[in-house]
Amino acid sequence: MVKPVDLLLTNAILLTMDETLSQFENGAVAVSGDSIVAAGPEAELRKQFEAKETMDCGGKVLMPGLVNAHTHVPMTLLRGLADDLRLDVWLMGYIMPVEREFVNPEFVRLGASIGCAEFIRSGVTTFADMYYYESAVAEATAAAGLRAVCGQTIMRFPAPDAQSYEDSLAATREFIEKWLHHPLIVPAVSPHAPYSCTEEILRATAALAAEFDVPLHTHISETSFEVENARRDWGMPVVPYVKKQNLFDAKVLAAHCVHIDTGEINTLKHHGAGVAHNPSSNLKLASGAAPVVEMLNAGLNVGIGTDGPASNNDLDMFEEMRLAAMLAKFHSVDPTSLPAQTAVLMATRLGAQAMHLGQVTGSLEPGKRADLILVDINQLHNSPHFRRDPNSVYAQIVYATKSTDVSDVMVNGKWVMRDRKLLTLNEQEMLAQAADLAKEVDRFLIARESSVLSKLIAIGGTTQEESFEIQVKVKVEDPQPILEALVKPGIKIVYNRHYREYDTYFKFKPEQGILRYREDEFLDERGEVDHVRYRLTLVGEPHEREFPSDVMLSRSRFLAPANQSLRFYREYFQPSEEIHIVKDRLRWLVRFKDTEFYVNLDRMDEPALGHFLEVKSRTWSRRDAEHKSTLVLELAKFLGVSTRETEAREYVKIVEERS
Ligand SMILES: [Zn+2]
C-alpha cells in the first residue's frame, strides 16, 4: 500500500549515519510533519510513498545536519576582541570584564541570532550552548528555527545575570520550567567548570538537572594547569572529584576532557556521560590534544564542538571535523587513527548522543526529527569523484568540502535555508547592530587600557581605596645595635615575624606608578617556610610628596591580594620594565609613644646591598600622615639610626631607583 508523506527528497547521495552507517548512491528521504518517515534507495521509496512534494537534490550529498556539541553562541559579538593570549589572561583580563559591562538579554539575543545564521549557513542544525541569560539564547534559537541544548551558566563568581550562585540556581529552575517540552529547545544546567564552582554548587546543579531529567553541560579538564590544581587542592584528578560531588547523577555533557586518564575515561563511560571535543579551541589556546581515539575505543559518545566564537574564532563545523581528524592523526603519529567517516559520525550522531539527544536527531532514520542538509560536492575544489572505495565520500566531506558548499538546511521538518538563502534571519540588520556594539566595546577597553589602576580595577584587583605610607629608610652597617635598642624600655613589641620576600616590580610610564607583585614566605623559628602570601600593590607616583623633615616619603598605594600568577600579571599589564628584589626581612610591630609602627630590618640578597632599616606606618588620611611623620623620625633616632638628612635623602633616591 502506498503511504502519503509531505516531502520526498530524491536524487541524492544519502549518508544516513545510522548504526550500520548505510549510504545510498541514489538515495531518498521521506518526511512527514517534523519527522523522517523513511530513508533508503530512491526506487524503493518511490514505490512506498506518495509525496505532496518531491524535491530533486541534484546529486548533492543528503546527510544529517551537523551537531555542534559545545559552544557559547552569543560570543559572536566578542569575536576577535582579544587573541593570541593565554586562557587566563584572555578570560579574566578581557572577556569577563567586557561581559560584566555589556552582557544583557539584548546582547545575548543578538549574538545568538548571528550565531544561528552562521550555523545555518554552515550546515549546523543542533548545538549545545552555555552562556548567561540563556532564556534569550533559547528565544533566538527557536525563532531561527534551530535545535539546541541551552545551558544556563552557574558559577561561584558574580555573573552578568546573577549576583550570587543562589540567584543563578533559582533562575535556572525557572528557565527549565519555562522551556521543558519545547519542540526545539532542551533547557540544561551549566555549572561553568569545577574550578569556577564550589562543591555545593556542583551538588546543587546535579540535583537540579536530575530532578528535571535535563542535561548538565560543563567544562572538564581543559588545561593541564587545571588538573595540577585539582590534584593539589582536592588530592585527585577532575573526573573523580566531580563524581564525588554526585555530578553523574545528571546526564553530563563534558566539554574538552583534554587531560583525562584511562580511569577517568572509564568513569565517564560508566556513567553515560558525553564528551565534546573542541580541536580549534584546544589548538588555538595550546591546551593540548584530547585522547579522542582512546575515548572512542572505550565506547564513549564523543561529539565535536567549536567552543565559543571568541576562542575559535568561528562556528564552522566542517573545519572542526577536518581538525578533529588531523589533530588525532598528528597526536598519535598514525594517519589511520581517526578516519574521515569517524569524524563525520562524531559531528552528527555521536554528537547528538553526547548531548543526550540521540533519540531525536543526529542520523537520518525513521522516527527521528527531520534535521538534514544538502551539500554540493561538485565544486571545483571538490572534484572529481571516485567510487571504488565507498568511504571516499566521507573523505570528500571532511578533507575538501567547505561550509559554503551547504546549500539547503532543514530543521524539525522546516526549511531554514533554501539555495543558500536564509529564511528565518536578516543578516544585514544584525551585522549593523553588531558593528555599533563593537565600537562601544572598543571605547570601553581603550579607556581602561589608559591606566594601570583602571586595568587593576577591571580584573577585580582592588577597590579604589587609597592609603598613605610614611617611612624612613636607612642603610645600616651593623644591625646588632638596632636589635639591642628594640628591647629597651620606651618601646613595646606587639609581635615579630620573619619572612623571605620575593618582589617583582613592574614599571610603566612614570605617571602610571609602579606595580609590585610580592611573594612573602613566612618562616618559622627553624627558618622553614610556614606559609606563603601573594600581594599586589600599586604605588602611585602622582601622589608622592615629601614632608618637611625631608626623610619622609609618602605615596598613595592600592593594595590587593594577588589571586593570579606572576605570569598572568606580566602578560596582562605588559610592563615596560621589570625589576626583581629578594630580601630576608625581620619585622616587628611596635608601640612607641602610643602609636603603632612597623620596624623592618632587611638583608638585601638580590641585589646584594647589605642591611636596611625601615620604620613605617600606614594611614588613610593625609593629616594623620603628617602627624606620624614626626614620630617616625623620633623612633628612628631611638633605634640609634643616624638620620643626617642628606644621607637619608640619598637613600630615598636609591630606593626609588631600585624599586
Ligand atoms: Zn567552552
Side-chain angles (χ1 to χ4, degrees):
M1 205 183 87
V2 179
K3 285 189 230 153
V5 290
D6 290 336
L7 175 68
L8 193 63
L9 296 159
T10 61
N11 187 24
I13 299 170
L14 173 62
L15 305 179
T16 64
M17 306 316 291
D18 63 10
E19 277 303 323
T20 56
L21 299 175
S22 43
Q23 53 164 291
F24 305 93
E25 191 70 20
N26 292 300
V29 170
V31 176
S32 257
D34 59 7
S35 298
I36 294 165
V37 179
E42 182 179 332
E44 266 181 44
L45 264 66
R46 278 191 185 276
K47 274 187 233 158
Q48 287 176 31
F49 302 103
E50 168 136 354
K52 280 187 203 153
E53 187 194 345
T54 300
M55 178 178 156
D56 185 328
C57 297
K60 290 176 184 171
V61 167
L62 172 56
M63 63 184 284
L66 300 178
V67 174
N68 185 341
H70 177 66
T71 189
H72 312 278
V73 73
M75 293 180 88
T76 48
L77 292 174
L78 304 178
R79 190 194 327 253
L81 173 77
D83 290 288
D84 304 328
L85 299 169
R86 253 176 266 273
L87 179 63
D88 55 359
V89 178
W90 177 81
L91 190 65
M92 318 277 187
Y94 290 88
I95 296 298
M96 285 185 163
V98 168
E99 286 180 333
R100 276 196 289 271
E101 189 73 17
F102 290 95
V103 170
N104 55 38
E106 290 68 46
F107 176 103
V108 168
R109 205 169 287 118
L110 176 62
S113 299
I114 291 173
C116 285
E118 192 176 348
F119 281 145
I120 296 170
R121 286 215 167 281
S122 54
V124 172
T125 54
T126 298
F127 64 98
D129 193 59
M130 176 198 298
Y131 207 59
Y132 314 106
Y133 297 110
E134 197 63 29
S135 207
V137 175
E139 283 163 27
T141 305
L146 286 189
R147 190 181 304 287
V149 169
C150 292
Q152 168 64 39
T153 300
I154 301 179
M155 56 184 182
R156 64 187 157 94
F157 312 113
D161 57 356
Q163 275 309 303
S164 69
Y165 114 79
E166 288 87 352
D167 291 353
S168 306
L169 199 68
T172 306
R173 174 178 288 277
E174 271 178 44
F175 166 68
I176 295 170
E177 285 168 347
K178 182 175 166 193
W179 290 94
L180 208 59
H181 310 305
H182 189 278
L184 291 171
I185 305 299
V186 175
V189 186
S190 279
H192 174 264
Y195 64 83
S196 54
C197 291
T198 60
E199 293 185 3
E200 188 191 357
I201 296 175
L202 294 173
R203 285 169 183 271
T205 51
L208 182 64
E211 182 185 336
F212 289 96
D213 193 31
V214 296
L216 182 148
H217 181 188
T218 189
H219 294 108
I220 296 280
S221 300
E222 180 174 359
T223 64
S224 55
F225 178 68
E226 178 188 341
V227 178
E228 279 162 31
N229 288 348
R231 287 184 186 278
R232 186 194 65 209
D233 298 341
W234 307 322
M236 61 187 92
V238 180
V239 173
Y241 169 74
V242 297
K243 179 182 151 104
K244 217 173 133 205
Q245 314 316 328
N246 303 333
L247 206 75
F248 297 113
D249 285 0
K251 301 188 290 191
V252 171
L253 167 60
H256 298 300
C257 297
V258 176
H259 299 278
I260 60 170
D261 60 28
T262 305
E264 292 178 282
I265 290 172
N266 292 334
T267 303
L268 291 171
K269 168 67 185 157
H270 179 73
H271 293 284
V275 171
H277 171 46
N278 301 269
S280 280
S281 170
N282 296 160
L283 282 162
K284 183 162 178 260
L285 291 161
S287 303
V292 172
V293 176
E294 197 189 340
M295 289 194 277
L296 289 168
N297 288 343
L300 267 178
N301 291 319
V302 184
I304 301 177
T306 56
D307 211 346
S311 57
N312 183 304
N313 294 356
D314 59 35
L315 297 170
D316 188 334
M317 280 292 293
F318 281 89
E319 180 181 85
E320 225 59 42
M321 276 193 280
R322 186 150 52 239
L323 283 175
M326 292 192 183
L327 180 58
K329 294 172 198 298
F330 178 80
H331 183 56
S332 61
V333 202
D334 176 2
T336 69
S337 62
L338 205 159
Q341 187 186 58
T342 308
V344 176
L345 184 61
M346 290 168 75
T348 53
R349 181 160 53 81
L350 289 186
Q353 287 170 196
M355 290 167 63
H356 307 277
L357 278 184
Q359 300 302 313
V360 175
T361 190
S363 57
L364 303 182
E365 297 179 70
K368 284 202 183 184
R369 299 303 92 76
D371 296 352
L372 49 87
I373 60 175
L374 285 179
V375 186
D376 183 358
I377 54 165
N378 298 307
Q379 297 282 334
L380 175 73
H381 57 258
N382 208 349
S383 301
H385 307 161
F386 297 97
R387 291 291 171 258
R388 176 193 57 82
D389 176 358
N391 285 340
S392 62
V393 64
Y394 295 107
Q396 273 195 276
I397 295 283
V398 173
Y399 302 126
T401 299
K402 300 187 186 307
S403 58
T404 46
D405 300 337
V406 175
S407 61
D408 300 79
V409 177
M410 173 181 277
V411 185
N412 214 41
K414 288 203 174 74
W415 292 111
V416 290
M417 183 166 80
R418 288 298 297 272
D419 209 10
R420 293 215 47 82
K421 276 197 188 62
L422 295 185
L423 303 178
T424 54
L425 291 154
N426 180 339
E427 283 163 291
Q428 295 316 314
E429 206 176 285
M430 296 190 299
L431 293 178
Q433 289 176 41
D436 287 344
L437 191 77
K439 280 185 202 139
E440 275 182 55
V441 173
D442 251 344
R443 273 196 290 275
F444 167 76
L445 279 180
I446 290 165
R448 186 191 80 166
E449 311 258 296
S450 66
S451 115
V452 174
L453 179 58
S454 63
K455 278 190 92 169
L456 188 60
I457 291 166
I459 52 169
T462 180
T463 55
Q464 272 217 40
E465 197 170 18
E466 245 187 337
S467 69
F468 297 87
E469 188 165 85
I470 306 100
Q471 61 178 20
V472 57
K473 284 191 180 185
V474 184
K475 184 166 178 20
V476 290
E477 292 311 321
D478 180 8
Q480 198 52 37
I482 293 165
L483 294 171
E484 285 163 14
L486 277 164
V487 295
K488 285 201 296 193
I491 193 165
K492 185 178 176 306
I493 294 172
V494 181
Y495 67 72
N496 64 313
R497 299 261 192 276
H498 185 194
Y499 323 80
R500 194 141 181 88
E501 290 185 334
Y502 301 84
D503 289 345
T504 301
Y505 289 86
F506 290 159
K507 294 189 84 171
F508 307 92
K509 281 186 250 154
E511 67 274 15
Q512 297 278 354
I514 294 169
L515 191 66
R516 184 185 70 199
Y517 176 90
R518 168 167 286 179
E519 183 182 333
D520 278 324
E521 285 180 357
F522 288 77
L523 305 178
D524 60 19
E525 298 86 61
R526 289 169 301 161
E528 281 171 23
V529 179
D530 185 63
H531 63 282
V532 188
R533 175 177 65 180
Y534 303 91
R535 281 196 300 176
L536 209 57
T537 307
L538 178 64
V539 182
E541 290 294 310
H543 301 290
E544 181 183 338
R545 64 178 281 199
E546 289 180 12
F547 285 89
S549 59
D550 262 328
V551 294
M552 308 308 159
L553 182 69
S554 172
R555 296 190 275 198
S556 66
R557 306 160 75 85
F558 297 89
L559 288 162
N563 300 320
Q564 308 291 340
S565 64
L566 175 61
R567 193 263 311 148
F568 171 90
Y569 294 117
R570 177 181 294 132
E571 292 177 11
Y572 176 64
F573 286 105
Q574 302 190 359
S576 55
E577 198 189 332
E578 231 176 272
I579 294 163
H580 301 273
I581 291 178
V582 180
K583 59 179 175 278
D584 185 271
R585 165 167 285 184
L586 292 170
R587 156 173 277 201
W588 295 266
L589 175 64
V590 303
R591 187 165 268 285
F592 178 72
K593 298 204 169 171
D594 288 332
T595 306
E596 284 189 347
F597 292 94
Y598 286 107
V599 174
N600 295 331
L601 188 58
D602 293 343
R603 189 188 68 227
M604 300 280 285
D605 293 338
E606 283 173 39
L609 295 172
H611 287 90
F612 290 90
L613 175 74
E614 279 186 7
V615 181
K616 62 161 101 185
S617 185
R618 182 167 302 136
T619 173
W620 275 264
S621 88
R622 274 181 190 281
R623 259 189 66 180
D624 203 24
E626 303 212 15
H627 165 67
K628 281 188 174 168
S629 68
T630 324
L631 282 176
V632 160
L633 191 62
E634 264 187 58
L635 177 55
K637 274 185 184 153
F638 182 89
L639 294 172
V641 164
S642 142
T643 51
R644 275 199 303 137
E645 294 188 3
T646 46
E647 205 178 273
R649 205 182 299 128
E650 211 158 291
Y651 181 62
V652 168
K653 259 202 262 166
I654 292 170
V655 169
E656 282 185 284
E657 272 163 20
R658 295 214 170 266
S659 57

